[in-house]
Amino acid sequence: MDRVRRALAKVTGQALGPYQSAVVRIGFAGTWLFFLLCEFPDRHQLYGPDGPWSWRLAERLVASNDAFTVLLWSSSAFWFELVYAVALLASALLVLGWRTRATSVVFMVGVLSLQNRSVFMGDGGDNVIHLMAVYLVLTRCAQVWSLDARRARRRGSASAGAAGPVLWGVLGAVLAYGAVTGRFGAGWLAAFAALWAGPALWWAADRHQRSGGGPGGAADGDAGEGAGEPAARRAGEGRAAEGRAFLDVLANLLHNAGMLVIMAEVCLIYATAGWYKIQGSRWQDGTALYYPLRLDYFAPWPELSDVLAGSGVLVMLLSYGTVAVQVAFPFTLFNRRVKNVLLALMMLEHAGIAVLLGLPFFSMAMIAADAVFLPTGFLVWAGATVSRARLPGRLSPVPRTGPGPGPSPGPRTPGPRTPAGPEAVERDGAVGAGGAGS
């Protein structure tokens, strides 16, 4: 029973895997950003008015399957260019971790809008990005390696500044327009309304706390009230503290559930891929990889493909090894050493697919998905290595010794403010888009 209570306290008390969620955020947003930039010259043929899948055909398909895409709000070329530009901008901002709670929702809208506009243009990597864009909305993926984290360290809150409320207002106007004109289905309208309203609660709670109304400190003008403080005010502070604690618990639960779903999705992808391969005769006799290596469409480096395809032993080993790794991986999650070995092999496999078969975006998407299982120690070491390379001579951020703009969450003795840790960076949002810094 004690073990269950400790596990429950851990799941509700903190957002687990801050480094893993950050690298997944950067990986998928970066993959989609590079894809949009690479296909920019052909965007009209892929997703725009010049594509073979016409606007009318897309409208009929979306009406039948209730998929979501804002590209069908208008058939004008200007609207398409605006949506494409916003998708590019949201991807870049999500990589940087700027107002991540809002940009993760805009990123999801961009992915769904473009992919659902032309459903036959995607491959397996696009399907993975499609799913992960939805899951990322639930996570607090800017606890580390983000502009939100830096803002939290410098200003005491990731939601500080006027950009958050302005962004929240703009998104609210778009939501109101879609609701009034009937652009959203009932389910999507409810989901986006919750995603928009949630940050308002966080912003109000955070503003109340930083202005001195929350627990742990009072505003400068109230420092002398002491025991004479009205009971109504104390009761209000207690309710604010309880509300903030509830929002923190909800945010942690959603984040941890989202990370669990991402891990389960990766395991499902590999398990189904591996077991389906086992049923194929070409995989059974070890010759499956020979055929794509002989296709000109999948041969960016023909000489290298010829060398690999010319070795029957190497083709057999790679074919059997691929199946073995994919089938075995989900069963090795509870053995850290074996899991890490197979994880490295799968990442190398996808890197090989990118080079040999000319599928870089598929490989980048799968490597980003695999990154959810990377060990924390390795990610911390990698982050420190990058920081040292980028800022030689500066091994760690210099802590601020002056008083912060407001009290830290929870009961704490007032004193000099130090940089917020990962667990405090994304305390500003449970769900939704807007001014919250997560």
Side-chain angles (χ1 to χ4, degrees), residues 101-434:
R101 185 61 67 185
T103 53
S104 65
V105 177
V106 181
F107 173 76
M108 178 189 71
V109 170
V111 170
L112 297 183
S113 296
L114 291 171
Q115 291 188 354
N116 289 336
R117 167 62 178 83
S118 300
V119 293
F120 300 108
M121 295 297 177
D123 57 16
D126 293 303
N127 293 336
V128 174
I129 295 175
H130 191 106
L131 294 171
M132 296 303 174
V134 177
Y135 302 150
L136 278 175
V137 173
L138 302 177
T139 64
R140 310 178 82 173
C141 54
Q143 298 176 91
V144 295
W145 299 341
S146 68
L147 296 179
D148 288 346
R150 187 179 68 171
R151 189 185 312 111
R153 289 195 302 267
R154 293 183 174 183
R155 306 180 67 174
S157 171
S159 65
V166 171
L167 183 58
W168 182 79
V170 171
L171 295 177
V174 175
L175 177 63
Y177 169 78
V180 170
T181 57
R183 304 290 185 180
F184 295 112
W188 285 108
L189 179 60
F192 283 119
L195 292 174
W196 179 76
L201 298 175
W202 279 100
W203 182 84
D206 186 66
R207 182 178 178 86
H208 179 74
Q209 179 178 346
R210 287 189 289 122
S211 65
D220 293 340
D222 301 324
E225 290 187 9
E229 186 179 33
R233 175 174 178 140
R234 292 197 299 271
E237 291 179 358
R239 288 192 296 270
E242 292 175 359
R244 184 54 181 267
F246 172 77
L247 292 177
D248 272 323
V249 170
L250 179 60
N252 293 334
L253 285 174
L254 287 174
H255 168 89
N256 295 330
M259 293 296 291
L260 180 62
V261 171
I262 291 175
M263 291 187 287
E265 188 70 41
V266 175
C267 291
L268 182 62
I269 290 172
Y270 283 120
T272 54
W275 287 106
Y276 270 112
K277 285 182 175 67
I278 287 177
Q279 302 175 44
S281 59
R282 300 306 181 194
W283 290 99
Q284 292 174 7
D285 60 26
T287 62
L289 292 184
Y290 172 84
Y291 300 98
L293 290 174
R294 286 300 190 184
L295 293 176
D296 293 337
Y297 184 79
F298 294 110
W301 310 98
E303 295 80 6
L304 182 58
S305 298
D306 290 341
V307 170
L308 291 178
S311 174
V313 174
L314 188 56
V315 168
M316 181 187 66
L317 291 177
L318 290 175
S319 299
Y320 286 153
T322 298
V323 175
V325 169
Q326 291 181 350
V327 171
F329 179 75
F331 299 100
T332 65
L333 296 183
F334 298 102
N335 188 314
R336 184 171 55 186
R337 293 183 178 179
V338 178
K339 182 263 295 182
N340 290 339
V341 171
L342 293 187
L343 188 63
L345 290 176
M346 288 192 301
M347 289 184 170
L348 290 174
E349 172 193 341
H350 291 303
I353 291 174
V355 175
L356 293 175
L357 302 182
L359 298 172
F361 299 112
F362 167 79
S363 298
M364 290 173 64
M366 291 307 304
I367 290 174
D370 295 341
V372 73
F373 293 106
L374 287 174
T376 301
F378 170 78
L379 293 175
V380 173
W381 170 82
T385 301
V386 172
S387 296
R388 286 195 296 267
R390 183 170 55 90
L391 299 173
R394 182 178 176 183
L395 299 181
S396 61
V398 179
R400 292 179 57 181
T401 56
S408 300
R412 183 179 297 178
T413 303
R417 183 170 62 83
T418 57
E423 69 280 358
V425 170
E426 293 207 359
R427 60 190 181 185
D428 305 293
V431 292

Side-chain angles (χ1 to χ4, degrees), residues 23-85:
V23 76
V24 168
R25 180 200 87 228
I26 296 170
F28 280 106
T31 299
W32 186 243
L33 175 63
F34 292 148
F35 173 79
L36 294 181
L37 290 175
C38 181
E39 302 297 346
F40 188 83
D42 302 316
R43 64 192 183 282
H44 291 279
Q45 288 73 31
L46 289 175
Y47 303 111
D50 299 333
W53 191 248
S54 68
W55 192 87
R56 291 297 180 187
L57 289 174
E59 187 180 39
R60 291 173 58 185
L61 180 60
V62 168
S64 65
N65 61 13
D66 294 325
F68 174 79
T69 173
V70 299
L71 282 178
L72 296 183
W73 288 13
S74 173
S75 59
S76 69
F78 171 77
W79 178 245
F80 169 76
E81 297 291 355
L82 178 61
V83 172
Y84 201 93

